[in-house]
Structures are given as structure tokens and as C-alpha cells.
Amino acid sequence: MEVFRMDDNDDNEQRYDVVVVGGGSAGLSGAVALSRARRSVLVIDAGRPRNAPAAHVHNYLAREGTAPSELLAAGRAEAAGYGAEITEGAVASAERLPGGKGFRVVREDGAAVVARRLLVTTGLVDELPPVPGLADRWGREVLHCPYCHGWEVRDRPLGILGVSPMAAHQALMWRQWSEDVTLFRHTGPEPSDEEYEQLAARGVAVVDGEVTGLEVADGRLTGVRLAGGRVVAREAVVVQPRFTARSGVLESLGLAATEQEMGGHVVGTCIAADPTGATEVPGVWVAGNVAGLTEQVIGAASAGLKAGAAINADLIGEDVRDAVAAYRG
């Protein structure tokens, strides 16, 4: 597998077929696919995985319960085993080279490389409501996804923090995992008459008043504290973060993040792409949470594979065109 280099006019910057920005499950899956296709690949990883606070990865067939760090280490080893290079660092920007001949990727430390194609898998940031204590327990007893954490808190007293019109829906969903669910209205809108009926029918309590903090004892969440001082015993709290795409490098290429709605409510941002991850900028693909807010780890890995295959097909097309032009010459 050859690593291409630019000529002297390009300051000898190292050139790869593909630079992958982001080294999570989506980026590493794409790197494996591309490296197995005998492409030269560089993965640049900022080392800020979204699921770092979580103890285990779930719903990943045959890897159920694996620690996130262990899964990433295995993925790195697999990608490197096929020849991918992996380096740590944050990417500051990317720019298209003159004539559309690839991209220059610049890291925050000033180092730059050139790529024929880009795969951006920078993920998203979970922006939590401003309630004291939430961030400290995020990924442990402060949760958002029932498919990621519902089994682990089954049959325990759960609290739903109302911050949006989706709160009643969240409460009814989490009721599948526990019979003891309380919806704290907090700053969210009042449920409709229909929602009140649904909540009552499922035995979900509704508590008015703003939540001002969490109660913790012996290192574990024990309750939710209201503005009047009342504490309601709970062992886990469900919140709806705002899902904000890490889109800086894409914005430097002219790709703006778009707002995403769920149930008619804006829940975050992402980068628009086709089913393979191709964006509006030719030569740039996205995969994982930067493109799909609800993607779990296994889905992100699948999206990385799909994008990797599409990128390789695109490069094959370019290689054939160049070969035909040279042959005719």
C-alpha cells in the first residue's frame, strides 16, 4: 500500500488516499474498510469519545458489556493491522486544494497533511440542562437512552426531568423498564390532557416545581431536590440533552450544521448527508453521531463501514478515469 507525497511545491506534505477525522467506532470502522481496500489511511483522533463516561457498551452484538476504552483499543489495533496510521490530535480546519485535487487538513498544532478524500466522524456533544449535579453523574445515574441504560436501572425508582415537549413521551418509554417512574415537570411545558391520561394509566407520577439539584449519599444518587426543599427519592434521572454536532472542521469546508427535530421539537444539530454519508461537498463523507443524532455505537460502526465502501468506490472511479486519460495519452 503506497502513501503518496506531494511535490516540492506543496512543502512535501504527506498525502493519503483518505484522512479520517475522529477515531471512534464510526471512524475506525471506516478506516478498517478502507485499509482492507488497500487505501492509505490516516486517522486523526482528538481523544474525546462521547461515551467515555459510560462503563459499558450495549447492544453491540458479541461485544455486549465491553468497556468503551476496550472497544476503541481493539478497533485501533484492527485498523493498524491493515496498515492504517493513527495519530492523536485535534483538527483545526480543512480546505480544498486548487483544482479540486484533494484537501489539506490542518491540526491545531499546525501540522498538515493532504488527502484525496475526507471521512469526518467527530461525533456530537451532549449539552445538559443547567441543573447542579447532572454533569457529575452523567453516564452513570443521569441517563438519556433507555436502550443504552434501561436494563441497568430496571425496577429502580426513576425520575424524568422535563425540559421539552418530549418529557411525557420519555416517561412513557422508560415505564417499560420500571414501574416506579416520576415525571418532574421542571421547566418543560405542562402535559396535554391526553398525556396526563396516558401517564395516569401507566402509573407515572407527575411532580410540579423546578428541580434545583440532586441528592447523593455514599457516592450514589438518592434523590431529586425541588425548589421548595422537598426531596423525592430516585436512583436514576433521565434527561434530554441538546445534541450538538462537532462540526467545526466541516464548517471550515462550507458545510453548516442543520437543526434536527424530534416530535416537532428541535433536539440538536447534525450534518446532512445521503445514505452513504456523502455530503454536499464532493469528496467529503460523514458517519456516526455527527450525521445521526440517535446512532448507537453499533450503528455508528455500520455507518463508518458504509461510508468507507462508498469512498473507495469513488476513488476507484477517479483512478480509472486517470488511467484511461494516461492510456489515451
Side-chain angles (χ1 to χ4, degrees), residues 4 34 50 52 60 87 125 193 204 234 239 250 262 268 275 285 287:
F4 298 93
L34 287 159
R50 180 191 178 196
Y60 201 125
T87 185
V125 176
D193 289 344
V204 176
R234 298 288 92 181
V239 302
L250 293 160
M262 189 177 298
W285 273 257

Side-chain angles (χ1 to χ4, degrees), residues 30 34 119 276-278 285-287 302-312:
L34 287 159
L119 173 56
T276 72
W285 273 257
V286 291
S302 175
L305 168 61
K306 189 179 298 184
I311 291 170
N312 184 57

Side-chain angles (χ1 to χ4, degrees), residues 12 21 46 52 71 78 115 123 144-145 153 166 184 188 195 200 214 224 268 283-284 306 319 326:
N12 291 318
V21 183
L71 187 67
E78 289 177 4
H144 83 283
C145 172
V153 295
M166 295 291 292
F184 296 91
E195 288 172 332
L214 305 180
V224 172
V284 179
K306 189 179 298 184
D319 293 339

